[in-house]
Amino acid sequence: MATWQLGPFDNDDAVEWCDALEAAPLDQRAELVRNTLAVAVAGRALTAGEAARAVAAAATALQSLSGMPFSNSAYAPRFFGRGALAVDSSIRDLAVRALGEVLANGSAWRLRWADDIEEEEALAVVESLRSHLISAVTP
């Protein structure tokens, strides 16, 4: 997985996931977000790619809930404003749980950043995303 910045959309897996999201029919996009997050909490070890896609899905859910992009990445979905994607409390809660798995000690995502000069900053980005989701108000 190539990564060029710390944001949730700044890696190859997230970009491919965003492309799939934008290509999906409008009425299937929320289900794609839900399914991506569900993989992260399925009770097995996540691959780094699955984790990166879960982070992108969580950031997309937050963007829909808040109406504000979590990231200014050129690769982030731009068509989502508040309510543009049917994100309810179950998706928000799933996103919070998924990010907990991504951040868990020994996760593939965490190991990918281990001993990297930007490790603390990468962790802070995902922890901030998780914190914002916890406090996000759902419709």
Side-chain angles (χ1 to χ4, degrees):
M1 169 179 72
T3 301
W4 48 88
Q5 292 291 323
L6 301 173
F9 304 104
D10 297 330
N11 61 76
D12 288 341
D13 291 301
V15 169
E16 289 174 11
W17 183 84
C18 287
D19 287 346
L21 180 68
E22 290 178 354
L26 292 175
D27 63 342
Q28 295 177 16
R29 290 177 177 169
E31 199 59 29
L32 177 60
V33 171
R34 182 185 306 278
N35 291 343
T36 302
L37 296 168
V39 167
V41 298
R44 63 171 181 73
L46 286 176
T47 67
E50 290 167 337
R53 289 186 290 276
V55 171
T60 300
L62 178 60
Q63 183 173 333
S64 184
L65 287 170
S66 69
M68 301 292 292
F70 181 77
S71 169
N72 291 325
S73 172
Y75 303 98
R78 295 287 180 213
F79 56 87
F80 292 114
R82 171 169 260 168
L85 182 68
V87 174
D88 58 16
S89 61
S90 68
I91 290 178
R92 185 206 54 209
D93 295 345
L94 191 58
V96 169
R97 288 179 33 224
L99 293 178
E101 293 297 321
V102 169
L103 290 168
N105 285 331
S107 76
W109 183 89
R110 190 120 184 209
L111 291 173
R112 185 255 173 259
W113 286 101
D115 300 323
D116 188 287
I117 194 167
E118 295 177 319
E119 178 181 10
E120 291 300 316
E121 292 90 344
L123 290 170
V125 167
V126 177
E127 288 168 349
S128 176
L129 175 56
R130 188 169 187 264
S131 176
H132 281 86
L133 276 162
I134 288 170
S135 63
V137 177
T138 57

